[in-house]
Amino acid sequence: MKLFFICLLLFLSFGELAQANTPEKIGETTMQKGMLSLKDINTVRDYVQKSSVNYNQILNIQNDSIITSAPRESFKIKLDRVTSSRTFQLVYIGAPLIAGGLIVKYGDDHFRSLRNEYIPTFRQHYDDYLQFAPAVAMIGMKIGGVEGRSSWSRMLASDAFSAAIIAAAVNTLKTTTNVMRPDGSNNHSFPSGHTATAFMAATMMHKEYGLTRSPWYSIGAYSLATITGVTRQLNNKHWLSDIMVGAGIGILSTEFGYFLADVLFKDKGITHSYLEEEQFDRFHNPSFFGLYLGVNLLPGEFSMHNGSSLSLSAGSNAGLEGAWFMNPYLGFGGRFSVASMGVLVDDVAQNDNLDIFTGSVGPYFSYPISSRWSAGSKLLAGYSHFSKYTLSSSTAEIGKKGGLTFGTGISMNYLVKQNFGVRFFVDYNLLPSPVPGNCTIKHLLTTGGSVNVQF
């Protein structure tokens, strides 16, 4: 108890220094007296009591503010915690690619019609070799002494697990689904083995060098894998759904292959540290450029001069989209896309698809929800052109015309890495009529996703 009162007196003595009297004056008085007088102690006690009241008031205000903002901060923290978890990191790219491939499967003919109309004689064989390029580069760097994530034994074990998983998945699906290739050569189209192998090799490079040396290794590897997948479709060997599902399987197989190796080796065989943990700034400028893929619907009918009714079935949309942001909220950009939609005359399907080329620009908007998630919107204006189309049921033509187009849309954007993001969108556009002499404005709804380079 004595020790308590001594500490209290010392505390009150130091409190005197904060009085309206200057510290120099109090110190001088204390030195002269040798100790604080009873009057000084009472003065200090009164000051401390008043200060305690003020401090408690401030503390209550701060606590109220914390309680008020806690639910919002809690949601952001939980959202980032989920998206940073190991489970999410295993599936966040591969699973959406597979799901997207299954969704666009019914529209495979639409994307193929673009190839058949503009480059029907495309035949190249570099995809047979390009699929292995990231893996060859990775092994070459390892032989050359460039230290990556893993030792030789751990890397080979991870790659062996990945290859075993991908071989089982691809071969099982090919023999059970029996999907005919676009060129009719055989019924082993689904999924694309070339694309799966290319994305497996790209993910290996990403794991070994993209996460430890430079993200540009990842960008280069995935670019080569994308070229491989696109070439398979241009060669008329695969449908778009084959490509997307193959890419998803390639990525998932490698993620799980490395996961199994991590469980087996634990901390052994890690030869190079990861890059510094990325600090995601919630208020970063969300500038982006990437590949735009979607499924569209243009409801309603067009009246033709001969009394027939024309309508367009659900179709597919592909293109490029990008925007530069001057701050976290406002930017300017544009989109170029090609939509391919089936044609029906009096509810009778025609032979080919009608293509719609659209280019538009305008302001883009973004609101940061958390350090990785943001909501977006846009207001675009531009021009749409319908390709020439001869109806199979008659000699009449549609298309070969264009007009102004206006559009908007909403999106949810996820920042995967500092330089890589994915977007899920719903876009709404006003289009002119493809029928000559018809001035009806039509409504085009497109939903899909995009992968983007962030800069």
Side-chain angles (χ1 to χ4, degrees):
M1 184 63 71
K2 291 181 179 179
L3 179 61
F4 171 78
F5 280 108
I6 292 172
C7 292
L8 178 62
L9 286 173
L10 289 173
F11 174 76
L12 294 178
S13 298
F14 282 114
E16 178 70 13
L17 298 177
Q19 275 286 357
N21 295 328
T22 64
E24 291 81 2
K25 182 176 180 181
I26 295 176
E28 181 182 352
T29 303
T30 304
M31 291 181 65
Q32 290 175 353
K33 294 181 179 180
M35 61 177 292
L36 293 174
S37 65
L38 181 62
K39 181 179 179 181
D40 292 331
I41 293 175
N42 290 333
T43 302
V44 171
R45 182 193 60 195
D46 292 339
Y47 174 79
V48 171
Q49 288 176 347
K50 292 179 181 178
S51 300
S52 298
V53 174
N54 293 335
Y55 174 77
N56 289 332
Q57 290 176 346
I58 295 172
L59 184 62
N60 289 335
I61 292 173
Q62 291 177 337
N63 288 336
D64 290 341
S65 301
I66 294 173
I67 293 173
T68 302
S69 61
R72 180 182 299 175
E73 292 300 320
S74 177
F75 171 76
K76 296 172 185 175
I77 292 172
K78 287 180 180 178
L79 183 62
D80 283 338
R81 184 182 296 119
V82 169
T83 54
S84 299
S85 66
R86 182 64 184 268
T87 302
F88 185 85
Q89 294 296 315
L90 283 174
V91 301
Y92 71 92
I93 296 180
L97 278 171
I98 294 175
L102 297 176
I103 290 172
V104 305
K105 190 166 183 60
Y106 82 94
D108 278 337
D109 284 336
H110 300 145
F111 285 105
R112 183 185 176 225
S113 69
L114 292 174
R115 179 260 178 201
N116 290 344
E117 183 170 354
Y118 298 103
I119 44 175
T121 60
F122 185 92
R123 293 289 187 278
Q124 299 293 333
H125 298 287
Y126 59 80
D127 51 330
D128 293 332
Y129 312 101
L130 196 62
Q131 61 178 318
F132 303 112
V136 171
M138 178 187 71
I139 294 174
M141 293 173 65
K142 193 75 171 176
I143 294 174
V146 181
E147 196 175 69
R149 173 187 190 266
S150 312
S151 64
W152 270 106
S153 59
R154 182 172 183 140
M155 184 188 77
L156 292 176
S158 302
D159 297 347
F161 283 135
S162 304
I165 295 171
I166 196 175
V170 170
N171 290 325
T172 300
L173 287 173
K174 280 183 176 291
T175 56
T176 56
T177 56
N178 294 318
V179 177
M180 185 65 69
R181 292 185 186 273
D183 63 358
S185 58
N186 60 52
N187 60 349
H188 299 313
S189 184
F190 182 85
S192 169
H194 281 66
T195 307
T197 301
F199 275 88
M200 176 188 71
T203 307
M204 290 176 180
M205 173 66 86
H206 166 69
K207 291 284 189 182
E208 291 296 330
Y209 290 102
L211 293 177
T212 59
R213 310 289 300 197
S214 169
W216 286 104
Y217 288 110
S218 303
I219 294 172
Y222 282 118
S223 297
L224 293 176
T226 302
I227 293 172
T228 301
V230 171
T231 303
R232 294 302 289 168
Q233 190 176 7
L234 295 180
N235 278 333
N236 209 26
K237 288 295 184 181
H238 284 287
W239 309 97
L240 177 62
S241 58
D242 302 341
I243 303 301
M244 294 181 66
V245 173
I249 290 175
I251 294 172
L252 278 179
S253 298
T254 313
E255 291 286 356
F256 280 103
Y258 270 75
F259 173 75
L260 291 176
D262 289 345
V263 172
L264 178 64
F265 285 85
K266 295 183 170 46
D267 294 332
K268 296 179 181 178
I270 298 294
T271 57
H272 196 284
S273 61
Y274 291 100
L275 297 172
E276 291 185 9
E277 184 177 352
E278 294 177 300
Q279 300 297 321
F280 294 96
D281 179 11
R282 179 186 173 193
F283 297 100
H284 68 281
N285 287 11
S287 301
F288 70 95
F289 180 79
L291 181 64
Y292 174 100
L293 291 173
V295 178
N296 48 40
L297 178 67
L298 198 152
E301 296 181 343
F302 305 92
S303 297
M304 301 183 66
H305 296 300
N306 60 3
S308 300
S309 63
L310 180 143
S311 59
L312 299 178
S313 67
S316 304
N317 208 320
L320 299 172
E321 184 176 22
W324 174 79
F325 280 76
M326 60 190 74
N327 56 51
Y329 307 101
L330 179 63
F332 185 85
R335 182 187 67 220
F336 174 78
S337 63
V338 182
S340 181
M341 309 182 71
V343 178
L344 296 90
V345 177
D346 295 330
D347 295 327
V348 177
Q350 305 298 292
N351 293 334
D352 296 317
N353 298 318
L354 178 67
D355 301 327
I356 309 171
F357 300 85
T358 302
S360 53
V361 296
Y364 280 68
F365 311 97
S366 179
Y367 178 77
I369 299 174
S370 71
S371 59
R372 290 196 175 195
W373 287 93
S374 62
S377 184
K378 56 197 170 190
L379 291 173
L380 303 179
Y383 185 84
S384 288
H385 177 77
F386 294 87
S387 62
K388 179 181 176 181
Y389 187 96
T390 301
L391 300 176
S392 58
S393 58
S394 66
T395 58
E397 288 184 353
I398 60 173
K400 202 178 180 181
K401 61 170 292 189
L404 293 177
T405 181
F406 299 93
T408 184
I410 56 174
S411 64
M412 286 296 295
N413 317 308
Y414 175 63
L415 188 63
V416 179
K417 299 292 180 183
Q418 293 287 8
N419 299 107
F420 177 71
V422 294
R423 302 165 69 87
F424 307 96
F425 63 82
V426 177
D427 287 349
Y428 170 75
N429 298 277
L430 297 176
L431 297 176
S433 168
V435 178
N438 189 319
C439 298
T440 306
I441 301 298
K442 303 306 292 184
H443 310 274
L444 179 67
L445 185 68
T446 305
T447 181
S450 65
V451 290
N452 308 284
V453 175
Q454 306 281 150
F455 60 91

